[in-house]
Amino acid sequence: MQHAVGAPLPPPHGPGQGSSGWAHGARHPGPPPPAPPVPGATGHVPLAPGGPVPIAGQPPSAQVPATGPASSPGETGTTGTATLAVLLIGPAGAGKTTVARHWATNRPVPTAHISLDDVREWVCSGFADPQSGWTDNSEAQYRLARRTCGFAARNFLANGISCILDDAVFPDRPVVGLGGWKRHVGPGLLPVVLLPGLDIVLERNSERTGNRRLSDEEVAGIHGRMAGWYGSGLPIIDNSTYDVETTARALDDVLARAIASPPSW
């Protein structure tokens, strides 16, 4: 069963869904300790003007060309030897974790992959499952996992190892906003949105099992909220027709443009 983008969402303090996982409640976070700058990181990523096909509601400079990435098949190296800190954003079923791991594995320089949802699930006994509702405990565990990811990323970066993180970051929920990630990883963090069509994420979600499989209603609601990134200035990759390798090459091309022409937001 499919639902229109922008389907009604659960109540603000109810459970949502992230990449594995759960969209988080709209509580405003207290100020965490500042993080040091990311060593060797560049700014954020606009796509070069010309070439991209416009999408309603999104400026052409924030889109990946419909013809796909420019690098050769099998190549994931247009970012060269740059030390990068990347945050891959997207709804459940977008393929964030799979693409992030593929990109990290195929770079020609040391690169680590950290998935927020995997780190959250390090808590075994006492895990605050958001399926039971977004509570103070589940929010606290989310914040703790994000700080842990940031600490690990800074350690990798300080030792010359690039890092790609993945999480469901929403434009309308401060607790899972970009601000927290930038504070914990550093101001050079490069966010990129992975946003395939609703039919694609519904199909991929149907293949999941356990607590990582969502209802169609939840998937549609999350996808609708993620559409809020259009017009935000963040680069968005629609990987509806891409396989994992092609999506990873598109991601690498987006990041390479950041190295050549770092914007600010």
Side-chain angles (χ1 to χ4, degrees), residues 174-194:
V175 75
V176 287
L178 283 176
W181 279 111
K182 288 181 180 179
R183 286 193 299 272
H184 291 305
V185 177
L189 183 66
L190 304 174
V192 179
V193 181
L194 204 58

Side-chain angles (χ1 to χ4, degrees), residues 15-112:
Q17 198 79 357
S19 57
S20 62
W22 306 100
H24 311 291
R27 303 181 190 275
H28 291 273
V38 174
T42 61
H44 295 293
V45 189
L47 293 180
V53 177
I55 298 174
Q58 185 186 15
S61 62
Q63 299 176 45
V64 168
T67 53
S71 51
S72 302
E75 177 185 332
T76 308
T78 55
T79 52
T81 60
T83 301
L84 304 175
V86 181
L87 176 63
L88 195 57
I89 299 165
K96 297 185 302 300
T97 300
T98 303
V99 170
R101 180 168 293 278
H102 185 92
W103 181 79
T105 299
N106 289 279
R107 289 198 78 210
V109 293
T111 304

Side-chain angles (χ1 to χ4, degrees), residues 12-13 24-30 134-139 143 173-176:
H13 299 296
H24 311 291
R27 303 181 190 275
H28 291 273
W134 188 251
T135 65
D136 289 343
N137 284 339
S138 56
E139 180 174 317
R143 293 175 187 272
R173 289 287 181 91
V175 75
V176 287

